[in-house]
Amino acid sequence: MKQKLVVIGAGMASGRMLEALFEAGGNFDVTLFNAEPRGNYNRLMLSPVLSGEKTYDQIVTHDAAWYQAHGVDCRFGEPVVKIDRTNRIVTSNTGGVPYDALVIATGSAPFIVPVPGKDLPGVVAYRDLEDTNAMIAASKPGARAVVIGGGLLGLEAAAGMAARGAEVTVIHLMGHLMERQLDPAAGYLLQKDLERRGIRIHCKGATKAILGTDRVEAVLLEDGTVYPADLVCMAVGIRPEVRLANDAHLEVGRGITVDDQMRTSDPAIFALGECVEHDKQLFGLVAPLYDQAKVLAATLLGQQAAFKPVQTATKLKVTGVDLFSAGDFADAPGREDIVFRDPGRGVYKRLILEGDKLIGAVMYGDTADGAWFFDLIKQGKPITDQRDTLIFGPAFQGGAQTDPLAAVAALPPEAEICGCNGVCKGKIVTAIGGGATTLDAVRMATKASASCGTCTGLVEQVMALTLGDRFSANTNPPMCKCTDHTHEDVRRLIKSMGLKSIPAVMQELGWKTVGGCASCRPALNYYLIADWPTEYTDDRQSRFVNERNHGNIQKDGTYSVVPRMWGGVTTPAELRAIADAADRYAVPMVKVTGGQRIDLLGVKKEDLPAIWSDLNAAGMVSGHAYAKGLRTVKTCVGTEFCRFGTQDSTGLGIKLEKLLWGAWTPAKVKLGVSGCPRNCAEATCKDIGVVCVESGYEISVAGAAGMDVRETEFLCKVTTEAEVMEVIAAFTQLYRENARYLHRIYKWVAKVGLDWCRAQVEDPATRRALYDRFMLSQSVYQTDPWAELAAKPADWAPIADLTLRAAE
Amino acid sequence: MSRFIDIAALEDIPRQGARLVKTALGCIAVFRTADDRVFALEDRCPHKGGPLSEGIVHGTSVTCPLHAWVFDLNTGQAQGADEGAVQTFAVQLTAGRVLLDATRLARRSAA
Ligand code: SRM
Ligand SMILES: Cc1cc2nc3c(=O)[nH]c(=O)nc-3n(C[C@H](O)[C@H](O)[C@H](O)COP(=O)(O)OP(=O)(O)OC[C@H]3O[C@@H](n4cnc5c(N)ncnc54)[C@H](O)[C@@H]3O)c2cc1C
Ligand code: SF4
Ligand code: FES
């Protein structure tokens, strides 16, 4: 008969234990209780959720399908209230469940400083999704937040809220930040870095009371300082959650006492995670908990295993702050330091030696060699020979070149790459040998970089070394070589950190080059235009030549000129003006384009302002044939003349073009409006297409007819022209706000899903808000660039002519 | 011997941009970086003749607008995997004026 296994707590430790159990083929009937109303997720990643870099969905580790596949009876939102050891029954708020074996994995509870006002609404801890959401809700730009506690958690909370625009103050009892992980010098650098981000730090501050009547209003310190606050986050420490074990009279010290097999004082009850005490030691980081998980799974399967705590290293998960510490770095007799400082670059490294061994390392600003030092600490090998150059890291051992991969190449196979999951270099290399050639595959096979993610770069370096040319960075690579951030991350951070200029983005997100490159600058310029239409000023020098000069550059350096021909309709007067211009500027070719308008090809740069001003004089404006923006709205004749037409497709096309022109978009946008399903305007292979029918208008999106050919997909049907305009403007705005640069609509829709897009434009309030934001942007950007630039012809000609002088 | 000719005011060249000087030997692009340094290079990409003056200027490099080769403004050398170089010309910045060394232009044209 199957054994009945009951697990209390669906946290990081128990999730890993269940995985190990099922992977080994364990045959258990599992009931999983969790006080939180959800299953296992990656708690470490709450910080990126808080700062806006990730969403909750992205950090779920086990979904409903997984529990179902393994027959786990999920009792989420059901806290266990009692363990009856005699009858082997656990009782939750909904009833009792019997067990053969019981696992307690209740984690820990945040410590709340016992000061007056601690129970006021607006005081939160930092432990679960509810806390995180409360902080997100409270961190509107301009809101004031106070974080009590300047340790790892407190600082991640502070940075996250600051990234969302809140004014944050951190109150820390000790003389410097993160005193358990950092020495004073590194703590000082960290403080400076955080202050530069606008976070106020108050060290040596003891909280006396939290003030407020109905909810928090301020925090009062012993020294009399008062900080106004709309939200207070207490992150001063954690205490093992042992209440159930106490009530059941299990042996409990500071945590639930367990032996090397994770067994408590009752042989049928096991415990693991932050709630346990092993060999007088408590645990607060996941790496040792994952080891416990493996040991407990083995124990439950009747196999031999023993838990031995490993050394842990710490990294702070705040984007743009590089910090690493490992081992023991307290001052003590017989210890020596090697220190390297480069205040200009904000780099500080300190190694702590005892005798001929490295026992601790603290690094700030440049942590690339962290893994290598950590490995030396764990090996405990004498380092006397290397002492002279030790602080410069592995690249300098034996006079090797400073190759960015050298540090990783120098690591022995047993060196740990992923601290959270205890994955060593050798294991990754073996997995790659076994066919795991993408980052995801390596994660799947080894779990390396699957928890806090800070070692992703190292894992990729191991892959690069092992695969050589066959390595191509992950499927969502960084924007370009200037940064490690993906397009998506940069877009999110621009919004959440309120970055409003290209230099600010490069500074705050740690760009690795001066002034970016030809690939990231146009993207950043677009993101800033789209996100801050009224505050950001377009940077012409970050535009690709076509958009800078408002014409398509030709292979001989001349340009093409395409005036707008609304909906493909023209007049004899316009045609005459085009013909005159073609004559006057000796245009080599006049061509009808595939977009229902006329292209004047081969115009010299110096002539551009003059030809534009001639076309302007005849009432024509730029057709943006060169733009990542609205190109053309192709129409057919519709009810005006066609015997099959059901609606005025030509008129609607013209209205749409007049609504949308001038808008910058991630990639070009083309529309078509056909008067009936015969579809003469080819509306169903455009980015956005409208097909008129007797009863209204069918709007479809995400078509293409370039390098990919695709039919559009149905978005929605509406009955009036006004609705067509609102839906299409709203959809375009959704695309402008969310897509990555250079992705056409069809690529973006494939990523986010058409259902999501439809839900946004179908909800009247969301649609209206999108429409309003689109129109706000149009109020700034719907201007004719030709008129503007034709007024400054001097800028387009050479600055000097030396032909005469040089030939003299 | 070098012969510096006054070309323009620094302000006439946009930051992270370039302006052209016409010479008997073809056009020379005079670049200005974000931190107000100036460089002069022949305005013809060795790949297929693209006008470097229309490229995006980043740091002390420029990316050709036609097929994205990148050139170092200091040396005129193509960067990365691409091979080739464009001629560079000495420039000076004095009291807000940009001066271009025309020695080579004169010598070549005299030859
Ligand atoms: C002028 C025109 C060809 C013509 O003589 O008819 C044209 C010309 C160019 N097209 Fe196009 N395309 C033209 C209609 C099209 C069409 C047909 C249409 O719009 O109905 C398509 C397929 C439909 C589509 O976009 O899905 C088309 C798909 C492309 C693509 C492929 C886009 C894709 O996402 O797959 C490119 C390449 C790109 O954008 O990166 C491209 C790029 C180009 C460029 C800009 C190449 C370049 O970067 O220099 C050409 C500029 C020539 C010049 O110097 O002016 N052109 N191009 C047409 C201008 C239409 C207009 O009035 O604005
Ligand atoms: C914001 C944040 C960032 C962190 N960052 C890092 C990091 O970068 N690196 C690192 O190593 N560690 C980090 N940690 C610590 C790490 O998350 C914990 O060490 C780990 O989650 C502990 O795992 P656990 O399974 O013991 O407990 P938990 O993950 O806390 O799970 C315990 C679960 O038990 C449930 N529970 C409690 N009592 C009951 C009951 N009576 N009945 C039913 N269910 C109950 C709780 O609701 C909870 O869901 C971070 C923690 C936080 C909060
Ligand atoms: S298909 Fe378009 S991009 Fe290709 S040569 Fe013709 S105009 Fe140029
Ligand atoms: S012409 Fe310059 S890169 Fe091709």
Side-chain angles (χ1 to χ4, degrees):
Chain A
M1 213 190 77
K2 268 195 180 179
Q3 274 217 68
K4 286 196 72 70
L5 175 67
V6 171
V7 180
I8 310 177
M12 301 289 293
S14 68
R16 189 50 69 85
M17 187 276 294
L18 288 174
E19 269 174 37
L21 199 61
F22 292 132
E23 264 164 35
N27 195 16
F28 292 89
D29 242 344
V30 179
T31 304
L32 177 60
F33 284 99
N34 202 21
E36 289 181 64
R38 61 187 68 85
N40 302 75
Y41 61 94
N42 189 341
R43 193 175 303 284
L44 286 57
M45 286 304 184
L46 287 175
S47 293
V49 170
L50 177 58
S51 64
E53 290 166 69
K54 281 206 155 42
T55 62
Y56 171 69
D57 289 339
Q58 289 173 314
I59 70 166
V60 170
T61 52
H62 298 77
D63 55 14
W66 188 87
Y67 295 120
Q68 198 181 8
H70 296 96
V72 178
D73 175 13
C74 298
R75 306 296 192 88
F76 300 152
E78 287 188 34
V80 169
V81 292
K82 188 171 156 225
I83 302 171
D84 174 353
R85 287 168 53 192
T86 331
N87 299 306
R88 297 202 172 170
I89 291 176
V90 297
T91 314
S92 78
N93 54 351
T94 64
V97 173
Y99 66 83
D100 299 318
L102 174 66
V103 171
I104 307 179
T106 46
S108 39
F111 182 72
I112 301 294
V113 201
V115 291
K118 68 180 170 44
D119 298 321
L120 282 171
V123 180
V124 299
Y126 191 15
R127 183 72 195 169
D128 55 23
L129 186 64
E130 277 70 28
D131 297 331
T132 310
N133 284 340
M135 284 189 268
I136 292 174
S139 349
K140 306 240 160 37
R144 289 157 310 182
V146 170
V147 175
I148 304 178
L152 207 66
L153 275 189
L155 295 182
E156 289 185 10
M161 289 193 280
R164 289 187 179 267
E167 250 175 59
V168 182
T169 305
V170 175
I171 295 164
H172 189 53
L173 193 58
M174 309 306 283
H176 69 271
L177 296 174
M178 287 182 68
E179 78 287 347
R180 284 173 43 202
Q181 292 90 2
L182 295 183
D183 60 10
Y188 173 79
L189 284 176
L190 175 60
Q191 175 165 349
K192 286 285 152 239
D193 249 1
L194 295 171
E195 284 171 350
R196 229 171 287 133
R197 292 160 182 247
I199 299 173
R200 188 195 287 135
I201 311 278
H202 187 134
C203 284
K204 298 190 187 153
T207 307
K208 186 169 183 188
I210 297 175
L211 311 176
T213 32
D214 302 327
R215 58 172 290 119
V216 297
E217 286 163 23
V219 176
L220 168 68
L221 305 193
E222 295 283 0
D223 65 11
T225 318
V226 175
Y227 289 114
D230 305 308
L231 177 124
V232 173
C233 174
M234 284 217 197
V236 290
I238 50 174
R239 277 210 296 226
E241 178 54 88
V242 296
R243 284 175 297 181
L244 282 176
N246 266 332
D247 294 349
H249 303 293
L250 290 171
E251 197 182 307
V252 175
R254 285 179 300 157
I256 305 169
T257 321
V258 291
D259 63 12
D260 288 354
Q261 280 68 46
M262 312 313 297
R263 192 175 265 117
T264 67
S265 54
D266 177 335
I269 304 183
F270 304 83
L272 84 165
E274 283 185 342
C275 59
V276 306
E277 177 178 327
H278 173 268
D279 205 8
K280 308 242 161 6
Q281 201 186 337
L282 298 178
F283 305 89
L285 293 172
V286 292
L289 307 189
Y290 287 168
D291 289 339
Q292 295 177 355
K294 280 185 228 158
V295 171
L296 178 52
T299 306
L300 289 169
L301 291 162
Q303 298 161 355
Q304 287 298 318
F307 171 64
K308 255 203 235 56
V310 291
Q311 292 242 29
T312 50
T314 309
K315 279 198 164 198
L316 182 70
K317 302 189 299 299
V318 172
T319 302
V321 174
D322 268 335
L323 173 164
F324 176 92
S325 74
D328 186 352
F329 43 83
D331 284 323
R335 289 185 179 175
E336 291 172 288
D337 286 350
I338 302 177
V339 178
F340 172 93
R341 278 177 213 274
D342 183 348
R345 285 194 303 139
V347 172
Y348 166 86
K349 302 182 190 186
R350 174 164 162 243
L351 301 178
I352 299 87
L353 307 181
E354 197 166 56
D356 56 0
K357 293 198 180 105
L358 181 66
I359 61 161
V362 181
M363 307 165 81
Y364 194 87
D366 173 5
T367 55
D369 299 333
W372 189 75
F373 288 125
F374 187 34
D375 190 56
L376 285 182
I377 296 172
K378 284 194 296 188
Q379 285 182 3
K381 270 200 323 219
I383 47 89
T384 325
D385 298 349
Q386 296 157 287
R387 188 167 167 148
D388 289 354
T389 55
L390 191 64
I391 194 120
F392 301 110
F396 286 85
Q397 309 309 310
Q401 288 294 307
T402 36
D403 170 357
L405 292 178
V408 176
L411 293 175
E414 59 280 2
E416 186 173 274
I417 299 288
C418 171
C420 293
N421 291 296
V423 185
C424 63
K425 180 177 160 191
K427 188 162 175 197
I428 298 174
V429 172
T430 313
I432 298 169
T437 54
T438 63
L439 184 62
D440 281 344
V442 170
R443 274 192 186 145
M444 204 102 87
T446 65
K447 292 227 146 59
S449 80
S451 292
C452 82
T454 41
C455 64
T456 307
L458 285 178
V459 175
E460 285 181 333
Q461 288 181 14
V462 173
M463 295 179 67
L465 282 165
T466 317
L467 290 168
D469 287 347
R470 286 188 298 139
F471 174 71
S472 55
N474 57 29
T475 42
N476 193 4
M479 266 180 88
C480 62
K481 59 176 188 343
C482 308
T483 174
D484 296 328
H485 293 292
T486 60
H487 277 272
E488 288 72 13
D489 285 351
V490 170
R491 275 218 93 163
R492 237 175 274 136
L493 290 166
I494 284 176
K495 281 181 244 195
S496 65
M497 295 173 74
L499 306 175
K500 296 186 182 161
S501 70
I502 292 178
V505 174
M506 292 183 174
Q507 173 67 34
E508 293 300 320
L509 304 186
W511 240 244
K512 293 184 281 191
T513 53
V514 179
C517 72
S519 138
C520 59
R521 283 246 304 280
L524 293 179
N525 190 50
Y526 168 72
Y527 294 153
L528 292 163
I529 284 177
D531 290 338
W532 317 110
T534 57
E535 290 156 277
Y536 176 70
T537 334
D538 183 17
D539 177 19
R540 247 190 110 213
Q541 299 309 137
S542 294
R543 295 268 194 181
F544 179 64
V545 57
N546 288 358
E547 291 188 354
R548 187 170 353 105
N549 292 340
H550 296 277
N552 278 303
I553 195 163
Q554 312 287 299
K555 60 182 191 174
D556 64 352
T558 62
Y559 292 83
S560 63
V561 172
V562 184
R564 236 174 236 297
M565 210 166 254
W566 308 98
V569 176
T570 184
T571 63
E574 280 184 357
L575 292 172
R576 231 171 256 124
I578 291 173
D580 287 345
D583 275 343
R584 195 165 309 132
Y585 303 97
V587 171
M589 170 138 96
V590 181
K591 183 179 181 305
V592 174
T593 74
Q596 298 188 337
R597 48 195 189 167
I598 291 174
D599 194 350
L600 301 161
L601 293 137
V603 181
K604 287 198 272 313
K605 185 181 176 193
E606 347 18 331
D607 288 340
L608 287 175
I611 193 168
W612 292 340
S613 105
D614 288 2
L615 293 169
N616 276 165
M620 283 178 273
V621 297
S622 166
H624 294 89
Y626 46 79
K628 308 289 173 232
L630 178 82
R631 294 286 177 90
T632 58
V633 180
K634 210 166 156 172
T635 70
C636 70
V637 281
T639 42
E640 285 295 280
F641 293 94
C642 177
R643 63 199 167 110
F644 295 117
T646 61
Q647 311 279 356
D648 177 15
S649 52
T650 324
L652 178 57
I654 293 172
K655 283 186 196 145
L656 282 168
E657 192 165 350
K658 295 218 153 144
L659 175 72
L660 301 175
W661 76 281
W664 299 104
T665 45
K668 56 189 168 192
V669 173
K670 299 173 176 179
L671 274 71
V673 183
S674 288
C676 84
R678 288 171 193 76
N679 195 16
C680 299
E682 297 165 335
T684 54
C685 64
K686 297 288 182 261
D687 297 278
I688 303 176
V690 179
V691 175
C692 303
V693 290
E694 286 297 345
S695 54
Y697 306 84
E698 287 173 352
I699 304 174
S700 62
V701 296
M707 290 172 279
D708 278 304
V709 181
R710 294 167 185 245
E711 192 178 338
T712 49
E713 293 175 70
F714 179 73
L715 180 71
C716 62
K717 184 174 167 183
V718 295
T719 49
T720 64
E721 281 194 346
E723 286 170 292
V724 175
M725 313 264 284
E726 188 174 299
V727 167
I728 288 179
F731 179 80
T732 306
Q733 181 66 9
L734 194 65
Y735 169 56
R736 298 181 67 225
E737 289 176 3
N738 292 286
R740 66 186 269 185
Y741 192 60
L742 299 186
H743 268 191
R744 289 283 290 265
I745 283 180
Y746 75 92
K747 284 206 177 135
W748 165 69
V749 168
K751 268 183 57 188
V752 299
L754 186 59
D755 291 340
W756 179 77
C757 299
R758 188 181 298 117
Q760 308 304 304
V761 297
E762 273 184 350
D763 174 59
T766 313
R767 171 158 97 206
R768 192 70 215 176
L770 283 164
Y771 177 84
D772 289 344
R773 289 202 293 280
F774 182 75
M775 294 314 287
L776 175 72
S777 169
Q778 287 298 71
S779 72
V780 179
Y781 283 101
Q782 197 172 62
T783 58
D784 178 25
W786 287 358
E788 216 171 288
L789 293 167
K792 303 184 280 184
D795 291 0
W796 298 74
I799 198 171
D801 189 344
L802 300 186
T803 41
L804 300 174
R805 286 220 237 179
E808 76 197 15
Chain B
M1 196 199 75
S2 58
R3 196 175 59 144
F4 280 95
I5 299 180
D6 185 309
I7 302 297
L10 180 64
E11 296 314 313
D12 293 335
I13 309 171
R15 282 211 175 98
Q16 297 188 305
R19 292 292 298 274
L20 280 186
V21 175
K22 264 194 171 168
T23 77
L25 295 172
C27 286
I28 294 178
V30 184
F31 294 90
R32 175 180 177 189
T33 61
D35 56 358
D36 286 348
R37 281 182 286 166
V38 285
F39 297 93
L41 277 71
E42 154 190 33
D43 191 37
R44 238 189 96 74
C45 178
H47 177 221
K48 292 195 173 170
L52 296 180
S53 56
E54 299 293 359
I56 288 181
V57 179
H58 42 101
T60 49
S61 305
V62 62
T63 298
C64 176
L66 291 197
H67 315 97
W69 284 25
V70 180
F71 295 88
D72 184 339
L73 296 176
N74 294 288
T75 61
Q77 286 291 331
Q79 304 293 290
D82 301 317
E83 278 177 32
V86 286
Q87 281 193 61
T88 59
F89 300 88
V91 259
Q92 283 182 355
L93 190 58
T94 324
R97 301 294 302 180
V98 180
L99 309 177
L100 176 69
D101 179 0
T103 330
R104 237 171 334 143
L105 303 173
R107 202 171 44 230
R108 288 268 191 94
S109 60

Coordinates of all heavy atoms in Angstrom, one line a residue, chain A residues 331 461 508-509 653 689:
Chain A
D331 N 37.6 40.7 12.1 CA 38.9 41.0 12.5 C 39.2 40.0 13.7 O 38.4 39.8 14.6 CB 39.1 42.4 13.0 CG 39.2 43.4 11.8 OD1 39.8 43.0 10.8 OD2 38.7 44.5 11.9
Q461 N 29.2 31.4 -19.2 CA 30.7 31.4 -19.5 C 31.2 29.9 -19.6 O 32.0 29.6 -20.5 CB 31.5 32.2 -18.5 CG 31.2 33.7 -18.7 CD 32.0 34.5 -17.7 OE1 32.9 34.0 -17.1 NE2 31.7 35.8 -17.7
E508 N 22.3 54.3 -15.0 CA 21.6 53.5 -14.0 C 21.6 52.0 -14.3 O 21.6 51.2 -13.4 CB 20.2 54.0 -13.9 CG 20.0 55.4 -13.3 CD 20.7 55.5 -11.9 OE1 20.5 54.6 -11.1 OE2 21.3 56.6 -11.7
L509 N 21.6 51.7 -15.6 CA 21.6 50.2 -15.8 C 22.9 49.7 -16.2 O 23.1 48.6 -16.7 CB 20.6 49.9 -17.0 CG 19.1 50.5 -16.8 CD1 18.2 50.0 -17.9 CD2 18.6 50.0 -15.4
G653 N -10.1 54.6 -44.7 CA -8.7 54.5 -44.8 C -8.0 55.8 -44.6 O -7.0 56.0 -43.9
G689 N -5.6 45.1 -40.3 CA -6.4 45.1 -41.5 C -7.9 45.3 -41.1 O -8.3 44.9 -40.1

